[in-house]
Amino acid sequence: MWFSKSAGRREGRHQQSRRTTCRRWKRERATLLFPLCALALLALCTRTIVTAAHKDGVREIIIPDARPKPEERLFLSPAVERTVDILTSKMTDKTLAKLFANCFPNTLDTTVISFDEDEDDTFVVTGDIHAMWLRDSTNQVWPYLRLLNNDPRLKLMIRGLIARQAKQLTFDVWANAFNESPSGDGHADDVRKPPMKDLVFE
């Protein structure tokens, strides 16, 4: 009887130890999953959008020019172009310089969908969605504010954006994203009081 109880206790401890080990492995596996996924994504991006050149035995990463062609850019600002030229010419890290040249003017290149100087109106989309968020559109033009005194048209464009935002807030103070026109696109089925109108995206 004594042997049977002792063997049972040992078996119970072994089972508990196995369960503890299993739980620890699951936690460690979950902890490792995120960095492994990040590394896999980095490797995929490196293979698809970056080419590697070997120079004197050192791996050099070359970032391609990702800006639209000049004739396809939605808004052109001489002040922004000068800033890009001045800053990139001072950067010794050419990879960083190319990233800056691609990213800094991106809002003007790709998201200023409409700009009407006479009507004081500008519509800036958030990127991949054809709608304008109050918060996003503000942050998108924020880096250009210090350049306004050097570019009158850039100043007018941002003034038009502020005017559009003011009209949007007047139209619906509870909304945070708007369509360019009353198209009804977006989350029109959301239950809300007062109901969302066609100009509101969400």
Side-chain angles (χ1 to χ4, degrees):
M1 188 68 177
W2 174 83
F3 177 80
S4 176
K5 288 183 178 180
S6 177
R9 285 195 294 269
R10 283 199 299 272
E11 180 61 25
R13 285 196 297 269
H14 288 322
Q15 290 179 357
Q16 183 178 3
S17 177
R18 284 196 294 270
R19 286 195 295 268
T20 302
T21 302
C22 184
R23 286 195 297 268
R24 185 182 300 118
W25 163 241
K26 288 181 178 179
R27 286 196 301 268
E28 291 175 353
R29 184 174 58 182
T31 304
L32 289 171
L33 184 61
F34 177 77
L36 288 175
C37 288
L39 287 173
L41 180 61
L42 178 60
L44 177 63
C45 293
T46 302
R47 291 186 62 185
T48 54
I49 68 171
V50 176
T51 58
H54 292 274
K55 184 178 181 181
D56 300 327
V58 178
R59 182 180 174 86
E60 180 184 6
I61 296 177
I62 302 173
I63 304 295
D65 184 356
R67 295 187 66 183
K69 297 176 182 178
E71 63 272 17
E72 296 175 354
R73 295 169 189 172
L74 299 180
F75 187 92
L76 298 176
S77 166
V80 170
E81 298 299 328
R82 281 196 302 272
T83 301
V84 171
D85 291 340
I86 291 171
L87 292 182
T88 54
S89 67
K90 295 179 179 179
M91 294 181 182
T92 56
D93 188 327
K94 297 307 176 185
T95 299
L96 182 62
K98 181 57 70 175
L99 285 173
F100 178 78
N102 284 338
C103 296
F104 186 67
N106 184 260
T107 286
L108 304 183
D109 287 350
T110 65
T111 69
V112 182
I113 298 300
S114 66
F115 167 53
D116 189 328
E117 294 184 35
D118 298 330
E119 295 295 328
D120 234 5
D121 184 65
T122 304
F123 190 83
V124 176
V125 297
T126 194
D128 59 337
I129 302 174
H130 195 95
M132 176 173 148
W133 270 255
L134 295 168
R135 174 201 61 203
D136 292 8
S137 58
T138 299
N139 288 327
Q140 284 168 257
V141 301
W142 191 278
Y144 308 132
L145 296 184
R146 65 180 62 197
L147 305 176
L148 297 188
N149 291 334
N150 301 321
D151 192 330
R153 190 164 180 267
L154 181 64
K155 182 184 291 187
L156 288 174
M157 187 273 287
I158 293 181
R159 190 172 98 170
L161 177 64
I162 295 171
R164 166 75 74 139
Q165 291 174 336
K167 293 175 184 176
Q168 290 171 338
L169 285 170
T170 303
F171 182 81
D172 191 328
V173 72
W174 302 108
N176 58 37
F178 295 83
N179 295 307
E180 185 177 4
S181 60
S183 61
D185 292 339
H187 302 271
D189 295 333
D190 287 357
V191 177
R192 202 197 72 171
K193 294 183 179 180
M196 284 173 31
K197 298 179 181 179
D198 288 345
L199 191 62
V200 176
F201 184 87
E202 74 168 23

